[in-house]
Structure formats: structure tokens, C-alpha cells
């Protein structure tokens, strides 16, 4: 079994504008995804707002230089992730294709194979 990191991207302003009913529907969709994936999910979490991110870039006097915020300046931000275990990429794509963010305007997921040593 291979491991895949599924990165969930979207528009943070749209996420913040969701009504309680829309948030409940999204949580229900993630629960359905988790049920469908079962033991294939080996980790995951929702992330706090992108404004809470710290990026390290470059060195100054031998120390990493921290800056506030995410590294790229984009409208889409990383909102959460799952770590999946699947037999192959096709299986990981099939599972991740059930995530609700794929159907949102400006949303999407990125699937990255994990290097295992």
C-alpha cells in the first residue's frame, strides 16, 4: 500500500461565509468520505486560517527567517488534509474524488504520493 497526501484547497472567504446549514452539510460530506475511505485514512486535519501560518524562508545570521502568513499569495488556501493509504494512485483519486470541496467554485484537492524510505 502506498500513502498519498490529499491537500484540500479553497477560497477562505467563501468558507467563512458558509451558513451554519452549509457548514453542517460540509461536515456531513466529510463524514461520508471518512466512512467510504474507512481504514484508508491514516491521518488528517482541518487547518486554522491561513493568517495563522508562519513561513520560513532564507537565513539571516545563520537562523531561518520567519514571516507571517502562507508562502504563496493566492486566493486559494490550504484548508485541510488527509493522509490516505491506497493500493495505487487510481484508488487514491477515486477516494479523494468524494470530497465536497471538488464541487465548490474555487475549490479543489491535490494528491501527492508520499516518499517512503
Amino acid at each position: 500500500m502506498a500513502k498519498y497526501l490529499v491537500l484540500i484547497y479553497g477560497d477562505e472567504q467563501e468558507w467563512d461565509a458558509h451558513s451554519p446549514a452549509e457548514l453542517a452539510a460540509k461536515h456531513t460530506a466529510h463524514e461520508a468520505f471518512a466512512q467510504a475511505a474507512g481504514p484508508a485514512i491514516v491521518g488528517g486535519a482541518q487547518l486554522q486560517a491561513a493568517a495563522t501560518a508562519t513561513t520560513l524562508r532564507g537565513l539571516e545570521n545563520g537562523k531561518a527567517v520567519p514571516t507571517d502568513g502562507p508562502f504563496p499569495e493566492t486566493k486559494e488556501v490550504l484548508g485541510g488534509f488527509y493522509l490516505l493509504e491506497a493500493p495505487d494512485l487510481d484508488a487514491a483519486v477515486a477516494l479523494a474524488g468524494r470530497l465536497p470541496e471538488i464541487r465548490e467554485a474555487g475549490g479543489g484537492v491535490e494528491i501527492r504520493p508520499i516518499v517512503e524510505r
Side-chain angles (χ1 to χ4, degrees):
M1 287 282 207
K3 289 183 181 163
Y4 298 90
L5 184 61
V6 178
L7 303 168
I8 301 169
Y9 290 95
D11 185 326
E12 200 166 51
Q13 290 180 335
E14 286 185 23
W15 290 338
D16 290 344
H18 282 332
S19 69
E22 290 169 326
L23 285 175
K26 183 176 269 191
H27 289 291
T28 299
H30 276 273
E31 288 171 4
F33 166 75
Q35 248 186 347
I41 296 177
V42 293
Q46 179 179 359
L47 300 177
Q48 292 194 19
T52 64
T54 300
T55 299
L56 301 178
R57 188 174 191 188
L59 297 174
E60 193 171 288
N61 298 323
K63 292 184 178 180
V65 179
T67 58
D68 292 338
F71 183 72
E73 291 290 333
T74 64
K75 187 174 180 183
E76 291 182 2
V77 297
L78 180 61
F81 68 93
Y82 285 102
L83 181 59
L84 299 178
E85 202 167 57
D88 55 32
L89 179 60
D90 290 340
V93 168
L95 282 174
R98 303 173 68 102
L99 288 167
E101 287 78 9
I102 293 171
R103 292 178 288 283
E104 294 178 351
V109 301
E110 176 182 342
I111 302 167
R112 301 275 301 269
I114 299 291
V115 175
E116 298 194 48
R117 299 173 196 249

